[in-house]
Amino acid sequence: MNNKLEPKSWNCPVSFLIYYLEDRATQSLLNKLIRSNVVNNTNQVEVLQRDPNSPLYSVKTFEELRLKPQLLKGVYEMGFNRPSKIQENALPMMLAEPPQNLIAQSQSGTGKTAAFVLAMLSHVDPSLKWPQCLCISPTYELALQTGKVIEQMGKFYPEVKLAYAVRGHKMERGVKIKEQIVIGTPGTVLDWCIKLKLIDPKKIKVFVLDEADVMIATQGHQDQSIRIQRMLPKGCQMLLFSATFEDSVWKFAERVVPDPNIIKLKREEETLDTIKQYYVLCNSKEDKFNALCNIYGAITIAQAMIFCHTRKTANWLANQLSKEGHQVALLSGEMAVEQRAAVIERFRDGKEKVLITTNVCARGIDVEQVSVVINFDLPLDKDGNPDNETYLHRIGRTGRFGKRGLAVNMVDSQRSMEILKTYERHFNKKIARLDTDDLDEIEKIAN
Ligand SMILES: Nc1ncnc2c1ncn2[C@@H]1O[C@H](COP(=O)(O)OP(=O)(O)OP(=O)(O)O)[C@@H](O)[C@H]1O
């Protein structure tokens, strides 16, 4: 879905573009934070080998990879029992001798980061005190997030050290970096290589470019990434990862990664097959709130996500629910990235049971683990028309074995009823009426 948000032409208003560019990196970060598990994708992995005659290896266990014991221990400590679908193919390629280049694309949450982190940790020689693996990420926050994974996975391999080449990390010219892995954003990495000469790019053995789709959406990052790549020695392993694969990403990938192997995993489509959908007739927002309270009074809801059309309604609802004693988290458009990240993390950890958000804020965020979704306002596109894609993304779940879910739509006008009917027709799935004054009836929907 993310790729569909890409503006069709560059004649868009600047404000929209800035919003859009920031948004993509933020989406990616929030998705990483909210996810507590690997995304199970049932599609087939497509593998294109540079040398079609060489045997195609894939592994079903981490043992088969003959990892260093310290790393295997780190992997298990993180709770990984077996390689994810993309890891089954990507890991043998990345760990092969001689090193192979790779372009890999799969939706967010399928295990790409964990895979390249394992590759970097496997390739470093801890006795050498200089940078050997270089990873670039599109933003400060994303770089820190990947750094955390390196630290976790390398927990039992303390000889390997990590340096962050990000804004705010002031370094003096000419002081050589001793850490074996450097993770950073393109601008700072370039400075560290060229201006400050802290890193000798000729000694880099593994180069990772993460989130290529987000990277090229950010002004200047594409050129900076290519400048970094040009300084690396021949024979340096180049790895590039992306969640989506528009033409522009593909062109960029081919410039960064010569002679690549290619692994692609199609995005798992969301379906409404396992979702029970209802609507409630209301007259006002107060009425909607009462209906919501009745639902909460009748069934046990572990965690719910509530979508409102405007920030004002979202704020109002958050206040009302808090007064009723609910632990409410609010995701709102004016919040800084760090604030949003903190809200998402608290919600993921179950500290709050209700997450209220506007669509703008939650666009592109996958909340698979939330089993109840309330459309306090039905999703609309910017012209006020039905938005099938957003409806599906809010309440749909992926995978044939997807968890069951419950979606309740609040309908408060003739117009919203028409919109609801459009969704019903489009997805060819019945949306049943729910009378929220009848507690017995509400109890039934939970079964
Ligand atoms: N083999 C595995 N078994 C269990 N969990 C895993 C495995 N690999 C990764 N995970 C977990 O799944 C989640 C997603 O993994 P990861 O961040 O590597 O995916 P990604 O494809 O890089 O996503 P993004 O594009 O958002 O960065 C993380 O919480 C990670 O710890």
Side-chain angles (χ1 to χ4, degrees):
M1 146 154 189
N2 299 356
N3 48 350
K4 298 218 172 92
L5 295 173
E6 183 164 274
K8 294 274 177 293
S9 86
W10 292 96
N11 300 324
C12 310
V14 171
S15 56
F16 171 71
L17 271 184
I18 291 172
Y19 160 73
Y20 163 74
L21 297 176
E22 277 181 357
D23 194 48
R24 203 146 170 174
T26 308
Q27 260 177 30
S28 179
L29 177 74
L30 297 185
N31 263 330
K32 271 181 205 278
L33 296 177
I34 199 156
R35 197 170 300 115
S36 48
N37 227 324
V38 72
V39 169
N40 263 326
N41 187 310
T42 50
N43 288 328
Q44 275 300 319
V45 177
E46 254 182 79
V47 182
L48 255 163
Q49 279 188 295
R50 188 169 71 93
D51 175 4
N53 298 321
S54 78
L56 178 65
Y57 290 109
S58 79
V59 291
K60 293 284 178 205
T61 64
F62 285 111
E63 274 80 10
E64 288 170 71
L65 293 165
R66 305 186 181 290
L67 299 168
K68 293 193 174 78
Q70 308 91 306
L71 291 179
L72 193 60
K73 203 168 164 199
V75 166
Y76 284 138
E77 168 105 351
M78 287 176 83
F80 300 0
N81 297 324
R82 68 187 72 81
S84 71
K85 201 130 187 197
I86 192 111
Q87 291 165 358
E88 286 179 2
N89 293 284
L91 284 170
M93 255 176 209
M94 289 193 282
L95 300 177
E97 277 303 335
Q100 302 197 22
N101 291 348
L102 176 69
I103 296 177
Q105 180 251 324
S106 64
Q107 83 194 70
S108 112
T110 44
K112 300 184 294 296
T113 307
F116 71 70
V117 165
L118 194 52
M120 288 199 292
L121 286 166
S122 298
H123 284 303
V124 292
D125 178 346
S127 69
L128 307 176
K129 308 293 178 201
W130 59 73
Q132 301 154 45
C133 301
L134 179 59
C135 173
I136 54 173
S137 280
T139 65
Y140 174 87
E141 290 83 9
L142 288 167
L144 294 198
Q145 209 50 40
T146 302
K148 271 194 202 159
V149 181
I150 300 174
E151 283 166 15
Q152 270 180 308
M153 206 174 270
K155 185 173 163 193
F156 302 102
Y157 200 12
E159 310 89 288
V160 177
K161 304 273 190 241
L162 168 66
Y164 290 93
V166 290
R167 71 173 139 84
H169 192 173
K170 292 266 172 288
M171 299 292 290
E172 299 213 0
R173 180 187 298 271
V175 182
K176 289 281 181 241
I177 301 271
K178 294 201 178 70
E179 287 84 352
Q180 294 89 350
I181 303 181
V182 176
I183 164 119
T185 44
T188 310
V189 167
L190 257 187
D191 279 354
W192 282 26
C193 290
I194 299 177
K195 234 201 260 160
L196 302 174
K197 303 213 180 308
L198 310 177
I199 302 174
D200 180 354
K202 288 280 167 277
K203 289 184 172 163
I204 300 293
K205 293 193 289 191
V206 183
F207 174 62
V208 179
L209 192 147
D210 192 20
E211 311 236 11
D213 47 355
V214 183
M215 196 71 104
I216 62 166
T218 313
Q219 187 85 40
H221 275 11
Q222 183 157 346
D223 292 345
Q224 288 169 332
S225 305
I226 289 169
R227 283 177 64 201
I228 296 169
Q229 191 265 1
R230 295 271 151 82
M231 293 188 287
L232 303 171
K234 227 175 165 328
C236 170
Q237 183 177 33
M238 313 275 178
L239 308 168
L240 178 141
F241 298 85
S242 183
T244 61
F245 241 129
E246 308 85 288
D247 279 355
S248 50
V249 181
W250 185 237
K251 284 194 191 109
F252 173 60
E254 285 184 314
R255 290 180 72 190
V256 175
V257 185
D259 304 325
N261 294 287
I262 298 164
I263 299 183
K264 281 189 194 172
L265 179 58
K266 267 219 235 82
R267 190 185 170 92
E268 179 108 15
E269 296 302 328
E270 285 140 343
T271 82
L272 298 178
D273 289 350
T274 52
I275 311 296
K276 288 200 256 178
Q277 301 178 71
Y278 293 93
Y279 74 91
V280 184
L281 283 179
C282 308
N283 289 319
S284 59
K285 69 174 193 282
E286 287 76 15
D287 216 15
K288 292 181 183 181
F289 172 67
N290 288 335
L292 191 59
C293 291
N294 287 351
I295 295 173
Y296 263 99
I299 60 176
T300 312
I301 299 177
Q303 274 196 314
M305 196 148 167
I306 306 180
F307 288 91
C308 300
H309 193 54
T310 63
R311 206 189 290 173
K312 199 169 151 214
T313 312
N315 278 323
W316 175 83
L317 182 60
N319 267 328
Q320 297 299 107
L321 279 172
S322 301
K323 279 190 213 150
E324 289 287 313
H326 290 281
Q327 298 150 287
V328 182
L330 176 66
L331 209 55
S332 168
E334 79 276 8
M335 286 178 173
V337 178
E338 309 84 71
Q339 287 174 309
R340 288 195 226 176
V343 168
I344 288 275
E345 280 183 306
R346 290 180 55 82
F347 184 66
R348 180 202 58 200
D349 296 343
K351 296 200 174 104
E352 270 104 21
K353 310 290 181 216
V354 189
L355 179 64
I356 302 177
T357 176
T358 58
N359 196 39
V360 170
C361 249
R363 177 156 34 213
I365 300 176
D366 300 312
V367 262
E368 288 267 323
Q369 78 271 33
V370 177
S371 56
V372 179
V373 175
I374 311 273
N375 283 324
F376 200 77
D377 297 305
L378 295 179
L380 299 173
D381 67 13
K382 61 180 186 344
D383 302 319
N385 295 318
D387 182 348
N388 297 324
E389 199 182 337
T390 302
Y391 185 80
L392 176 65
H393 190 63
R394 277 190 194 176
I395 73 168
R397 294 294 175 262
T398 60
R400 270 169 273 162
F401 317 105
K403 290 156 238 110
R404 279 156 30 115
L406 179 64
V408 180
N409 297 289
M410 307 277 183
V411 170
D412 62 357
S413 64
Q414 188 58 36
R415 174 79 185 128
S416 56
M417 193 66 207
E418 281 161 21
I419 289 166
L420 186 90
K421 290 287 169 202
T422 327
Y423 292 138
E424 199 170 33
R425 275 197 303 277
H426 180 86
F427 294 106
N428 196 20
K429 288 262 169 327
K430 180 135 186 69
I431 308 179
R433 165 132 193 239
L434 176 68
D435 178 0
T436 45
D437 291 329
D438 183 344
L439 293 190
D440 291 339
E441 197 186 320
I442 309 177
E443 276 175 22
K444 281 191 214 137
I445 68 173
N447 302 320

